Amino acid sequence: MSIDPRKAAIVGCGSVGAAIAFRFLQQGLFSRLILLDANQDKAEGEAMDLSDGLPYGAAMEITAGDYDDIADCSLIVITAGANQKPGETRLDLIGKNVAILRSVLKEITARDFQGILLVVSNPVDVLTYAAWKISGYPRERVIGSGTVLDTGRLKQLLGEELRVDSRNIHAFIIGEHGDSELAVWSEANVSGLDLEDFCRIRGQALRPRDMDRLYRKVRDSAYEIIRRKGVTCYGIAMAVGRIAECIVKDEHAVLPISVVLDGQYGMKGLALSVPSLVGRRGLEEVLEIPLSEGEEYALHASARRMKEAIERVEYVAV
C-alpha cells in the first residue's frame, strides 16, 4: 500500500493524545489526521472539538476512524495505555500497557502499514522495544518519544538559571525516560559556548550542586505535575510535535528519541533514549556522543535497569 505523506493517526484519545492532536492542528504538518480510541464516542468528540478550531488553524481534515482508515498513514502515534498515577513510576505500567500495545499492533500489522510508528505511551523505552519485537518492522520505523520532553525541561530550567533564551541551550537528557535518566553536562553549551565559559563571561557560577538540583527537578518533574493536576500532556505534545516535524520535513535533526540499539554504546537487546538523527525514514542514525566517565557509568546503569524491565515481557509477534 502506498503512503500518504500528509496523513497521520493518533491511537489513544486521552489527555496526551488529544493534546498531540491539538499541536498537529497548530503546526499544519498534515492534511488529514485520524483519531482512534477504544471509546469511539471519545474519538468522535475530540475530532469534533478540534475541527471547530480549523477556521483559525491549519487547512486539514480531522476525523475519528478505525484501523482500516490509517493503513496508508505516514505516521502513527501510539498514546493508548494506562496513565501514570500519583506514586507510580513509569515502569509500574509495563504489564497493562504492553497488553494494550499488543492489541493495537495486531490491528496495524494486519493492514500492511508502511509508515513510521512513534510510541509515546509509558514506559516508552520498554514499549518501543516491545513494538519493534511484536510488529517485526525495521528498527528505523519504530521509534519512541524518548527523552525529548526531558531534554526540553532541562533546556528550560537551565535557561532560567542562566537568564538566557532556552532555545540557545544545547544539552541532553539520555538513558531511560524515567528515574534512571542522566544529564550530559560534559557536552552542554550555550550556542556553542561551553557552559563553564559562558558562565565565566557572564560572571555567573554553575556549581555541581546547582547542576544536581536542576537534574533532579527535571527527573522528578512528571511526579510533581501529576501530583498537582493528575496528568502531563502539554509538554509531551510539544515534544511529539517536534519529532513529527523532523519526519515530515526530512530535517535530519538530532533528537534524543527512544531507539532499539544494535551495538551502539556497546549495547544490544534494548531500547534507550539517545541522540539520533531523525528524518523522513524515522531513525537515520544513532549518534554515539562523547560522555564523561561518570556519564558513561550512569548510562550503562540506566541500560541495565531497562534490560531487566524488558526481560520481564514476553514478545510474541502478532
Side-chain angles (χ1 to χ4, degrees):
M1 178 176 291
S2 61
I3 294 174
D4 183 343
R6 297 295 307 281
K7 184 177 177 183
I10 299 172
V11 180
C13 292
S15 298
V16 172
I20 293 170
F22 183 62
R23 181 56 182 153
F24 285 177
L25 184 159
Q26 293 174 310
Q27 290 176 293
L29 294 173
F30 303 103
S31 56
R32 290 196 64 194
L33 180 62
I34 312 296
L35 305 182
L36 284 77
D37 195 90
N39 181 343
Q40 181 68 10
D41 283 344
K42 181 71 163 67
E44 291 175 357
E46 294 292 356
M48 293 166 64
D49 195 6
L50 288 161
S51 295
D52 286 345
L54 287 175
Y56 310 109
M60 62 188 299
E61 178 185 7
I62 305 174
T63 59
D66 58 30
Y67 287 100
D68 287 334
D69 298 318
I70 68 173
D72 61 342
C73 286
S74 61
L75 177 68
I76 295 179
V77 180
I78 300 177
T79 70
N83 290 326
Q84 189 178 347
K85 297 176 182 177
E88 279 189 321
T89 70
R90 295 175 180 90
L91 292 182
D92 291 331
L93 305 174
I94 288 178
K96 45 194 170 186
N97 282 355
V98 167
I100 293 170
L101 178 66
R102 187 185 303 280
S103 67
V104 169
L105 291 175
K106 182 179 180 180
E107 297 292 344
I108 293 174
T109 56
R111 289 165 172 81
D112 192 31
F113 171 67
Q114 298 294 319
I116 295 167
L117 285 178
L118 174 54
V119 179
V120 179
S121 308
N122 279 316
V124 69
D125 301 292
V126 176
L127 292 186
T128 298
Y129 185 83
W132 171 68
K133 289 287 285 187
I134 294 169
S135 69
Y137 294 150
R139 57 192 281 271
E140 293 79 11
R141 289 174 48 208
V142 183
I143 61 177
S145 52
T147 51
V148 177
L149 170 58
D150 313 72
T151 291
R153 288 168 172 160
L154 177 62
K155 290 181 178 184
Q156 177 62 22
L157 291 173
L158 194 51
E160 291 174 0
E161 186 82 8
L162 300 178
R163 300 190 303 279
V164 66
D165 189 336
S166 60
R167 292 171 296 183
N168 295 141
I169 302 290
H170 302 284
F172 289 116
I173 295 287
I174 65 173
E176 174 196 7
H177 171 54
D179 295 344
S180 68
E181 64 189 24
L182 62 135
V184 185
W185 292 111
S186 64
E187 294 296 312
N189 68 81
V190 181
S191 288
L193 274 174
D194 179 82
L195 271 184
E196 186 176 342
D197 291 337
F198 180 84
C199 291
R200 177 178 52 78
I201 292 169
R202 292 285 301 275
Q204 296 173 292
L206 191 65
R207 297 157 294 190
R209 67 170 177 267
D210 297 320
M211 294 179 181
D212 186 61
R213 169 175 51 81
L214 292 172
Y215 158 71
R216 291 177 183 275
K217 195 168 183 180
V218 170
R219 183 195 63 189
D220 299 337
S221 179
Y223 295 120
E224 293 301 318
I225 295 170
I226 290 169
R227 181 173 66 84
R228 288 169 171 81
K229 59 170 282 191
V231 66
T232 68
C233 57
Y234 301 124
I236 186 60
M238 294 296 287
V240 170
R242 179 69 188 116
I243 298 170
E245 183 177 37
C246 294
I247 294 170
V248 172
K249 295 182 179 180
D250 198 24
E251 288 190 2
H252 317 292
V254 179
L255 293 174
I257 58 172
S258 184
V259 297
V260 176
L261 295 175
D262 188 26
Q264 296 86 2
Y265 297 95
M267 302 176 195
K268 295 186 75 170
L270 77 163
L272 211 59
S273 302
V274 291
S276 304
L277 281 175
V278 182
R280 185 168 293 130
R281 295 180 292 117
L283 168 65
E284 296 185 337
E285 184 179 355
V286 175
L287 303 177
E288 296 188 66
I289 62 172
L291 300 173
S292 69
E293 184 177 344
E295 290 162 356
E296 188 171 348
Y297 178 85
L299 180 62
H300 281 267
S302 184
R304 286 193 295 272
R305 176 182 167 96
M306 290 296 91
K307 192 87 168 176
E308 291 170 2
I310 283 169
E311 287 172 353
R312 287 162 28 199
V313 179
E314 290 187 16
Y315 304 102
V316 180
V318 292

